[in-house]
Amino acid sequence: MYNVVIVEDEELVRRGIVTAVNWASVDCAVVGEAAGGTEGIAVIRSSHPDIVVTDIRMPGMDGLEMLRRLREEGCEAKFILLTAYSDFAYAQTAVKLGASDYLLKPFHDGELEAAVARIIEKSRSRAQAGLVDVANINLNDPDMSVGAVARQLGLSEGHLSHLFKKETGMTVSSYLTSCRMEKAKELLSDCRSRVYEVAERVGYRDIAHFSS
C-alpha cells in the first residue's frame, strides 16, 4: 500500500480528491491532507508519503515553493501537481524540481488514478531492474547494502524496501545474500578456487561468516 498526501486550498476540491478518487484501485491510501504549502510541509514531514498530490496556486506558500523546500530537505516523494492554469512555465519549473506529473484542473474521472499508476509502475520497474543489475555487477563490494542500492536507483531506502518486498516476497538484504551465495556456488564449482578468494569476490571480508 502506497501512502498519499493531498495539499489543496479549496476545501471542496480537496475533499473530492480524498473521497471520490478510487485510491484502492491503485493500491494507495490517503494518510494526510493540508490546505496550503506551509501546512503541507508539516504533514509531509510527519507522514513520509510515497506520493504527494498538490495544487500549484495556493495562498501563502504555493505548491512549487513547497516542493522546492521539501527537495532541499531531501524529500524523495513523487509529486503530482495540479493547476487550473495552462502555463508552460509552471510545467517547466515542476519538471526541474522533479515532479512526476502535471494535471490541469478540472481533471477527468480516472486521470489522477492513471497518473498515480504510472508513477507506481515506473518505481517498481526501476527497483526491480536496477536492483538485479546492481546485484550482478557489485557483488564483490562488501559495502553494498540496501541504502547503497537505493541511492544508486534514486529511491529512498524505505521506498525500495517496500517495493521489493511487495513484488518479490523477499527483503532486499535476503535477495543480495541469495545472489552472493549463487555466485559463490558457481565459483566454488571450480576446484582451483580458494575459499577465501571466493569470499572476497562475493563481498565477504569475514571468511568464517562466509563459510557458515
Side-chain angles (χ1 to χ4, degrees), residues 51-167:
I51 299 169
V52 176
V53 179
T54 180
D55 195 3
I56 288 182
R57 291 279 187 113
M58 296 183 290
M61 186 187 300
D62 65 20
L64 291 179
E65 180 61 21
M66 180 185 72
L67 172 54
R68 182 180 292 108
R69 294 193 186 188
L70 287 167
R71 288 291 189 244
E72 288 174 354
E73 294 180 6
C75 175
E76 297 178 346
K78 305 301 182 184
F79 280 74
I80 298 174
L81 301 182
L82 309 176
T83 182
Y85 301 87
S86 182
D87 188 334
F88 186 63
Y90 285 132
Q92 286 182 311
T93 304
V95 169
K96 289 178 182 177
L97 292 171
S100 297
D101 215 332
Y102 177 90
L103 299 179
L104 290 176
K105 296 194 299 185
F107 48 85
H108 302 294
D109 288 348
E111 275 193 299
L112 186 51
E113 291 94 328
V116 170
R118 287 194 296 270
I119 288 172
I120 292 173
E121 182 57 34
K122 186 175 181 179
S123 294
R124 285 175 174 171
S125 297
R126 285 180 66 195
Q128 291 175 326
L131 182 60
V132 170
D133 292 340
V134 171
N136 288 334
I137 294 172
N138 296 323
L139 287 178
N140 64 335
D141 181 1
D143 296 319
M144 188 170 73
S145 62
V146 179
V149 173
R151 286 191 295 274
Q152 291 182 32
L153 297 177
L155 300 171
S156 70
E157 185 174 332
H159 190 47
L160 173 63
S161 298
H162 172 77
L163 286 174
F164 199 77
K165 177 73 172 178
K166 183 178 179 64
E167 293 301 310

